[in-house]
Amino acid sequence: MKLALAQINPTVGALKINAAKIIDLIEEAEHEKADLVIFPELAVTGYPPEDLLLKPQFISENLSCLKDISAKCRGIAAYLGFVNRAGKDLYNAGAFIVDGKVEEIYHKMNLPNYAVFDEKRYFKDGKKCSVVSYKGMKIGLGICEDIWVEKGPYLEEAKKGAKLILNINASPYHVGKIRERERMLGARAKNTRAHVVYVNMVGGQDELVFDGGSMAFDPKGKLIAASDQYREELLFVDLEKDRMKNKWLDELPEIYEALKLGVKDYVEKNGFSDVLIGLSGGIDSALTLAIAVDALGKNRAHAIFMPSEYTSGQSFQDAKQVSLNVGVEMIEIPIKDVFSSYLYTLKPHFKEKPADITEENLQARIRGNYLMALSNKFGWLVLTTGNKSEMSTGYCTLYGDMAGGFAVLKDVPKTLVYRLVGWRNKKGNVIPESVIKRPPTAELKPNQKDQDTLPPYEILDPIMQAYVEGNKSAQQIVAKGFDEAVVKKVISMIDRSEYKRRQAPPGPRITHRAFGKDWRLPITNRYREF
Amino acid sequence: MKLALAQINPTVGALKINAAKIIDLIEEAEHEKADLVIFPELAVTGYPPEDLLLKPQFISENLSCLKDISAKCRGIAAYLGFVNRAGKDLYNAGAFIVDGKVEEIYHKMNLPNYAVFDEKRYFKDGKKCSVVSYKGMKIGLGICEDIWVEKGPYLEEAKKGAKLILNINASPYHVGKIRERERMLGARAKNTRAHVVYVNMVGGQDELVFDGGSMAFDPKGKLIAASDQYREELLFVDLEKDRMKNKWLDELPEIYEALKLGVKDYVEKNGFSDVLIGLSGGIDSALTLAIAVDALGKNRAHAIFMPSEYTSGQSFQDAKQVSLNVGVEMIEIPIKDVFSSYLYTLKPHFKEKPADITEENLQARIRGNYLMALSNKFGWLVLTTGNKSEMSTGYCTLYGDMAGGFAVLKDVPKTLVYRLVGWRNKKGNVIPESVIKRPPTAELKPNQKDQDTLPPYEILDPIMQAYVEGNKSAQQIVAKGFDEAVVKKVISMIDRSEYKRRQAPPGPRITHRAFGKDWRLPITNRYREF
């Protein structure tokens, strides 16, 4: 049997456009003499449609798209995801289409409602598994979570004679997840002695990145075919013949590509042509610019350098060099005059209070205003440049460096920023050595260093990661050998910065737990572990 | 039997403080010779604890608080909410405590996972109802949603002989909900021929306001006792004797008090002493200031007036008058110099493009910066002043008038702003007639009126409410008699403003559907009904 794995990038809500794309690929697969073409979970609506699912009209239109799709599905079978409705209940559903008709509808039985998932808000769980017969083959149907759970429907389907298990997905990326998927799927194939075919979505949707990497396994659990990550692909698989040795991306390129796709899709699906980035001469904004240029091309990225009296000559040279390296013109707007004007008008109201964080934040907010002014004037999307270490500790200014539409490094800790820069520089030097070597500084007051306020990033990051991503308690983190006072300081900074994160722009999720859908802490929260 | 309904205001995460408060009230109720004291749902943790529930340490500490509470519960019984754990599973639970011991633990059977609720993210559902015998009375236990569902556990409990049904709650306010509760609870009592006792939480928690209004019903469904809304109360009820004619607040005072409590608790539970409000001379900021002063007192509210060249003399007079009326000194900082300085430095980069929304937003952002500078310098919380009509259509500036910690009128449409002002003025004139009479204007360019950009609020608001709160389709709204072009314009503005709302501060929810937990639309969303 010849299968076509249609790893597509649908857009949430673009029902007709998604349907047209599906129909095109059905026709292409039929033309290439495939027997069966398989699309991702909720391919018709995009994933996650969130509260669009509460609109009855949206559900009706998705059903009418499914009708159009099935009418065009001739000479080939298809399995694809859509939203089914029965009375008032909705289902995360898969349609198996043969000869222009929906022959079987499967309802997802295991609805994830943890981490970034809220499926029980919308869907009822299906109650029975589905095995269809097609061209002499018994085929078991499933959707995403169904194959992750130990006793999922695939088991019963195999018992009922299924020799091919189809599993369609909208599985969001995090570091190393592709290898978890491969291990789990191989085990399922081996266990059921069936072919297992896994089709994933690809593309960015707000904070989520779907990385693709669709796969097929033989009944011994061996991978026999795999799509690339991060791009649309129609992959043909001959179940009897295909054999391959897969090569997934290594960690750093895997992350870099996820960030690129996240940026590209946020920009393009939201209808922006260009992006704008504030360059500081530091490493975060340099990496953000490199990712933007790699994702969109140098003609669609703009850089602006906004020096103050605390900005060093080195920062100017470094920012300039980064712009030159990526081929982007750098606009320069000094913030000095506006800053003086603010200070002058505020003086009588500050009542002789000494300079403090106020004046630092004010500089960051002036820069935010300049970025937004250019954004408004030219319709460019502002990309913010803060990293996860800053976002977690609140070492960032609301409406200042946090001002913008998409936060590229929001889920990238500072130490990983350095590693990504190291990797990116190997492919062509974009970020000068001096940027990498200089101690990080916000340059908002004389001789300021990040490390005046924060523990060194080599200590901060593992503590932050244990607390945020690993969900460890303070006690557990101290038990790993970190200094108790430092742990207390870091956790306390994280706990108290919730209000900032609540007003932060979204950014691509690359870890097990990002500041987004999978981090839902109250702002008003008096719980302290110390 | 003499009951004590302990309508308390716990703080999320403040486990020990909440437990101490519970113990105090148990002792007071015992001293007053009550037989049984009843506390709200999740009284130990506060509601909703959200992802704090994912911390095993948090659960352990809540269990240890329950132990402390039960040890102190002597000479009286208590029923209260806490988080129970069994293996890896968590339950939204109620403990029935007698003589220093937890005699029965009930697990909530119906977990809400819609609107603002995410209980299935954290809890497993209980599988059996609970009837305890105490002082010769059979008592059925339940938690919140359990009594809303038609075939809830109260039915089986009544069949098993329960003559008293206890239902503990963390039920968030929306307009008119107290009357819905009364109707439903009366019907349940009548239906089961049992006394029904409903204890609600009170207090603000981020966007939610719990309005209290605890109630007791006799077996005929008659209300025999009720707590006030919006304040903590230990209400004693003699099931055999008490009779009352309840008087809930009317619509406008009910809403006003909800906003006051929302503000007060956000400010105080987050440790702020004072608040700061930008006064424009318009009605929204005037109402916001009045609410803040009513909630916190005039010494804890600060007003700042930031005129531009487009600010009319009338605006100055009106802002001044409002400040005088509420007894708050008004600081004045003109934005002209800073604005000129921005324009001068931006001129070469704007490439002769005509003035547009950019310059308008810039003024709003300068004001945002001033507010945040004073906030930073003095530790005051900025209250934003935008209303729901603006928040829905995006008629507001990110990092400008949207800059601040709490958005008092976020869920109040403009037409309701006028009605609230009318009601508040009757209790003492705070907002001058000229503020009410003048056509709304942002004063960001010459002769600007809101109605240049937006349909009249009398038309905009019902369309917005049908779409946002009523979840109606464009077609359904047009069918109500609204002009199709206007409906299209309003819906399109709402759909396209999601990115702004995602970076907005929280604000108190007073309607059936606010822009917060119960509005989860993707930013990247190509679904359009037209």
Side-chain angles (χ1 to χ4, degrees):
Chain A
M1 182 169 279
K2 184 175 177 181
L3 306 184
L5 282 52
Q7 175 173 298
I8 61 169
N9 183 349
T11 298
V12 165
L15 302 171
K16 291 208 172 98
I17 294 167
N18 297 340
K21 180 181 283 217
I22 291 167
I23 290 168
D24 277 356
L25 289 172
I26 288 175
E27 287 171 354
E28 185 179 337
E30 192 271 337
H31 185 257
E32 296 292 331
K33 304 202 186 328
D35 301 293
L36 169 63
V37 55
I38 306 135
F39 294 88
E41 179 179 13
L42 293 190
V44 174
T45 60
Y47 190 95
E50 300 187 87
D51 280 6
L52 289 173
L53 292 168
L54 304 182
K55 296 176 187 281
Q57 180 68 15
F58 180 79
I59 307 302
S60 302
E61 290 179 35
N62 128 96
L63 290 169
S64 124
C65 285
L66 180 72
K67 222 169 168 180
D68 295 346
I69 293 166
S70 39
K72 299 281 179 157
C73 184
R74 308 226 168 238
I76 186 170
Y79 179 50
L80 79 154
F82 73 107
V83 182
N84 199 19
R85 177 164 57 194
K88 281 191 165 178
D89 294 334
L90 300 182
Y91 296 92
N92 183 336
F96 195 89
I97 305 169
V98 185
D99 277 339
K101 286 207 179 104
V102 176
E103 192 179 288
E104 176 82 5
I105 290 177
Y106 170 78
H107 291 160
K108 189 174 183 178
M109 295 172 71
N110 300 279
L111 299 172
N113 205 66
Y114 54 83
V116 301
F117 303 107
D118 285 297
E119 294 199 9
K120 291 184 183 176
R121 179 174 172 88
Y122 308 105
F123 301 120
K124 295 275 176 191
D125 48 338
K127 296 297 184 196
K128 63 183 187 51
C129 66
S130 285
V131 177
V132 294
S133 287
Y134 174 68
K135 296 206 172 178
M137 170 88 92
K138 285 198 168 176
I139 302 175
L141 308 180
I143 302 176
C144 204
E145 193 79 358
D146 287 328
I147 205 152
W148 285 93
V149 297
E150 201 67 53
K151 299 193 172 171
Y154 66 92
L155 273 183
E156 198 185 330
E157 288 169 356
K159 267 188 205 151
K160 287 185 172 164
K163 292 293 171 204
L164 169 61
I165 307 283
L166 302 182
N167 183 265
I168 59 179
N169 296 266
S171 174
Y173 170 75
H174 62 239
V175 183
K177 190 166 182 191
I178 191 97
R179 288 169 178 81
E180 290 172 47
R181 290 186 200 125
E182 185 187 346
R183 266 194 306 277
M184 178 276 295
L185 292 164
R188 299 288 185 253
K190 201 169 164 184
N191 188 18
T192 54
R193 292 187 193 121
H195 279 91
V196 167
V197 169
Y198 171 97
V199 176
N200 195 13
M201 190 173 277
V202 69
Q205 169 61 28
D206 291 348
E207 68 187 77
L208 300 181
V209 178
F210 302 99
D211 57 329
S214 301
M215 310 179 216
F217 296 82
D218 74 13
K220 289 180 181 161
K222 275 200 65 165
L223 187 69
I224 58 171
S227 304
D228 282 348
Q229 284 176 277
Y230 304 115
R231 66 176 192 89
E232 291 195 295
E233 187 174 356
L234 184 65
L235 175 72
F236 293 95
V237 180
D238 187 325
L239 289 185
E240 284 69 45
K241 285 194 208 145
D242 280 335
R243 288 295 171 271
M244 62 99 69
K245 209 173 142 49
N246 68 304
K247 266 195 60 162
W248 304 120
L249 295 172
D250 288 337
E251 184 194 6
L252 295 174
E254 185 187 274
I255 294 169
Y256 197 87
E257 293 300 319
L259 297 173
K260 262 174 63 183
L261 182 57
V263 170
K264 185 176 162 64
D265 273 7
Y266 190 86
V267 169
E268 295 187 347
K269 289 180 177 179
N270 283 297
F272 288 95
S273 61
D274 292 32
V275 297
L276 173 63
I277 293 154
L279 274 191
S280 69
I283 196 164
D284 300 312
S285 57
L287 178 60
T288 303
L289 180 63
I291 292 167
V293 168
D294 287 345
L296 304 166
K298 62 182 180 178
N299 296 328
R300 297 171 64 190
H302 306 267
I304 167 171
F305 180 69
M306 295 169 283
S308 76
E309 55 184 311
Y310 308 121
T311 305
S312 65
Q314 188 66 48
S315 291
F316 171 77
Q317 284 171 35
D318 286 341
K320 190 83 202 163
Q321 191 61 50
V322 170
S323 313
L324 280 171
N325 289 350
V326 298
V328 167
E329 190 202 359
M330 186 178 90
I331 304 168
E332 187 179 342
I333 306 183
I335 67 167
K336 199 173 155 251
D337 290 350
V338 168
F339 186 45
S340 305
S341 190
Y342 271 116
L343 292 181
Y344 179 79
T345 44
L346 279 164
K347 197 167 190 304
H349 307 287
F350 277 179
K351 302 181 179 165
E352 313 288 326
K353 286 209 165 207
D356 57 14
I357 188 96
T358 308
E359 288 75 11
E360 299 181 40
N361 282 339
L362 190 50
Q363 294 168 69
R365 291 192 179 116
I366 293 168
R367 294 192 173 108
N369 284 5
Y370 276 122
L371 285 164
M372 292 308 296
L374 291 168
S375 166
N376 286 161
K377 192 59 90 185
F378 297 102
W380 301 335
L381 178 76
V382 175
L383 299 179
T384 66
T385 63
N387 60 57
K388 190 175 193 175
S389 313
E390 295 170 353
M391 192 61 70
S392 55
T393 53
Y395 195 69
C396 48
T397 301
L398 256 180
Y399 326 130
D401 52 306
M402 290 175 70
F406 202 62
V408 182
L409 305 179
K410 186 176 181 182
D411 201 30
V412 182
K414 187 79 170 187
T415 47
L416 181 55
V417 168
Y418 283 98
R419 293 174 60 218
L420 286 169
V421 163
W423 174 82
R424 180 62 187 80
N425 269 353
K426 281 187 196 150
K427 300 207 318 165
N429 204 41
V430 295
I431 295 165
E433 202 59 20
S434 55
V435 173
I436 301 166
K437 288 268 166 71
R438 275 205 300 162
T441 166
E443 292 191 326
L444 294 170
K445 60 181 182 181
N447 303 314
Q448 187 177 34
K449 302 276 172 293
D450 290 10
Q451 256 64 100
D452 303 339
T453 305
L454 302 175
Y457 288 112
E458 303 74 46
I459 295 172
L460 167 60
D461 281 357
I463 294 174
M464 179 277 286
Q465 288 169 307
Y467 189 64
V468 174
E469 296 166 19
N471 199 34
K472 300 294 179 221
S473 71
Q475 241 179 347
Q476 288 172 312
I477 300 169
V478 171
K480 282 172 182 236
F482 291 100
D483 182 71
E484 184 168 326
V486 176
V487 173
K488 183 172 174 173
K489 179 176 177 172
V490 172
I491 289 186
S492 161
M493 290 181 91
I494 296 174
D495 286 348
R496 287 163 206 271
S497 304
E498 205 50 50
Y499 72 100
K500 288 192 186 181
R501 286 189 287 271
R502 205 62 79 83
Q503 294 189 38
R509 175 179 179 269
I510 61 151
T511 70
H512 193 68
R513 198 180 194 196
F515 293 123
K517 281 173 183 298
D518 44 354
W519 178 267
R520 305 184 191 178
L521 271 299
I523 299 176
T524 305
N525 168 17
R526 287 281 172 121
Y527 183 63
R528 298 288 177 264
E529 290 188 47
F530 288 96
Chain B
M1 184 171 276
K2 184 172 175 183
L3 307 184
L5 281 53
Q7 176 173 297
I8 61 169
N9 183 347
T11 298
V12 165
L15 301 172
K16 291 208 173 98
I17 294 168
N18 297 340
K21 180 181 284 217
I22 291 166
I23 289 168
D24 277 355
L25 290 171
I26 288 175
E27 287 171 354
E28 186 180 337
E30 193 271 336
H31 186 257
E32 297 291 330
K33 303 201 185 333
D35 301 293
L36 169 62
V37 54
I38 305 135
F39 294 89
E41 180 178 15
L42 293 190
V44 174
T45 60
Y47 191 94
E50 301 187 88
D51 280 6
L52 290 173
L53 292 167
L54 305 181
K55 297 176 186 283
Q57 181 69 17
F58 179 79
I59 307 301
S60 302
E61 290 180 34
N62 126 95
L63 289 170
S64 122
C65 285
L66 180 71
K67 224 169 165 179
D68 295 345
I69 293 166
S70 38
K72 299 279 181 162
C73 184
R74 308 230 169 233
I76 186 169
Y79 179 51
L80 78 156
F82 73 107
V83 181
N84 199 20
R85 176 163 60 194
K88 282 191 168 179
D89 294 335
L90 300 183
Y91 296 91
N92 183 337
F96 194 89
I97 305 170
V98 184
D99 276 340
K101 287 209 179 98
V102 175
E103 193 178 289
E104 176 83 5
I105 290 178
Y106 170 78
H107 291 161
K108 188 174 183 178
M109 296 172 71
N110 299 281
L111 299 171
N113 206 66
Y114 54 83
V116 301
F117 303 107
D118 284 298
E119 294 200 8
K120 291 184 182 176
R121 178 173 173 88
Y122 308 105
F123 301 120
K124 296 276 176 192
D125 48 339
K127 296 298 183 196
K128 62 180 188 50
C129 64
S130 285
V131 177
V132 293
S133 289
Y134 175 67
K135 295 205 172 177
M137 170 90 92
K138 285 196 170 180
I139 302 175
L141 307 180
I143 301 177
C144 204
E145 193 80 356
D146 286 329
I147 205 152
W148 285 93
V149 297
E150 202 67 52
K151 299 193 171 171
Y154 65 92
L155 272 183
E156 199 187 328
E157 289 168 357
K159 266 188 205 151
K160 287 186 173 166
K163 292 294 169 201
L164 169 60
I165 307 283
L166 302 182
N167 183 264
I168 58 179
N169 295 265
S171 174
Y173 170 75
H174 63 238
V175 184
K177 191 165 180 192
I178 192 94
R179 289 171 177 79
E180 290 173 47
R181 290 186 200 125
E182 187 187 345
R183 264 195 306 278
M184 179 276 295
L185 292 164
R188 298 289 185 253
K190 200 171 166 183
N191 189 17
T192 54
R193 293 188 193 121
H195 279 92
V196 167
V197 169
Y198 171 97
V199 176
N200 195 13
M201 190 173 277
V202 69
Q205 170 59 26
D206 291 349
E207 68 187 75
L208 300 182
V209 179
F210 302 99
D211 56 331
S214 301
M215 308 178 219
F217 295 82
D218 74 13
K220 289 180 181 161
K222 275 200 65 167
L223 187 69
I224 58 170
S227 303
D228 283 348
Q229 283 176 278
Y230 304 116
R231 68 176 191 88
E232 292 195 295
E233 187 174 358
L234 185 65
L235 175 73
F236 293 95
V237 180
D238 186 326
L239 289 186
E240 283 70 45
K241 285 194 209 144
D242 279 334
R243 289 292 172 272
M244 61 99 70
K245 210 171 142 53
N246 69 301
K247 265 195 61 162
W248 304 119
L249 295 173
D250 288 336
E251 184 193 8
L252 295 174
E254 184 188 276
I255 294 170
Y256 197 87
E257 292 301 318
L259 297 173
K260 262 174 63 183
L261 183 57
V263 169
K264 183 174 163 64
D265 273 7
Y266 190 87
V267 169
E268 295 187 348
K269 289 180 176 178
N270 282 297
F272 288 96
S273 61
D274 292 32
V275 297
L276 174 62
I277 293 154
L279 274 192
S280 69
I283 195 163
D284 300 313
S285 57
L287 177 60
T288 303
L289 180 63
I291 292 168
V293 169
D294 287 344
L296 304 166
K298 62 184 181 177
N299 296 326
R300 299 170 66 190
H302 306 267
I304 167 172
F305 180 69
M306 296 169 283
S308 76
E309 56 183 309
Y310 309 121
T311 305
S312 64
Q314 187 66 48
S315 292
F316 171 78
Q317 284 170 32
D318 286 341
K320 190 82 200 164
Q321 189 60 51
V322 170
S323 312
L324 280 172
N325 289 351
V326 298
V328 167
E329 189 202 0
M330 185 178 91
I331 304 167
E332 185 178 345
I333 306 182
I335 67 167
K336 197 170 156 256
D337 289 351
V338 168
F339 186 46
S340 304
S341 190
Y342 271 116
L343 292 181
Y344 180 79
T345 44
L346 279 164
K347 196 166 192 302
H349 307 287
F350 277 179
K351 300 181 180 163
E352 312 287 326
K353 286 209 166 206
D356 56 14
I357 188 95
T358 308
E359 287 76 10
E360 299 182 38
N361 283 338
L362 190 50
Q363 294 168 68
R365 290 190 180 117
I366 293 168
R367 294 191 173 110
N369 285 6
Y370 275 122
L371 285 165
M372 293 308 295
L374 290 168
S375 166
N376 286 162
K377 192 58 91 185
F378 296 102
W380 301 335
L381 178 77
V382 174
L383 299 180
T384 66
T385 62
N387 60 56
K388 190 174 194 176
S389 312
E390 294 170 355
M391 192 60 70
S392 55
T393 52
Y395 194 69
C396 47
T397 302
L398 256 180
Y399 325 131
D401 51 307
M402 290 175 69
F406 202 62
V408 182
L409 306 180
K410 187 176 181 183
D411 201 31
V412 181
K414 186 79 170 187
T415 47
L416 181 55
V417 168
Y418 283 99
R419 292 176 59 219
L420 287 169
V421 163
W423 174 81
R424 180 63 187 78
N425 269 354
K426 281 187 199 153
K427 299 207 318 164
N429 204 41
V430 294
I431 296 166
E433 202 61 16
S434 56
V435 172
I436 301 166
K437 289 267 166 68
R438 276 204 300 161
T441 165
E443 292 193 327
L444 294 169
K445 61 180 182 181
N447 302 315
Q448 187 176 34
K449 302 276 172 293
D450 291 10
Q451 256 63 100
D452 303 340
T453 306
L454 302 175
Y457 287 113
E458 304 72 47
I459 294 171
L460 166 60
D461 280 357
I463 294 173
M464 179 278 285
Q465 288 169 307
Y467 189 65
V468 174
E469 297 166 19
N471 200 33
K472 299 294 179 220
S473 70
Q475 243 179 345
Q476 288 172 311
I477 299 171
V478 171
K480 283 173 181 238
F482 292 99
D483 181 71
E484 183 167 328
V486 176
V487 172
K488 183 172 174 172
K489 178 175 177 175
V490 171
I491 290 186
S492 162
M493 289 180 93
I494 296 174
D495 286 348
R496 286 163 206 272
S497 303
E498 205 48 49
Y499 73 100
K500 288 193 187 180
R501 286 188 286 271
R502 206 60 82 85
Q503 294 189 38
R509 173 179 181 269
I510 61 151
T511 70
H512 194 68
R513 198 178 193 199
F515 293 122
K517 283 172 182 295
D518 44 353
W519 177 267
R520 306 185 191 178
L521 272 297
I523 299 177
T524 305
N525 167 18
R526 287 282 172 121
Y527 183 63
R528 297 288 178 263
E529 291 188 47
F530 289 95

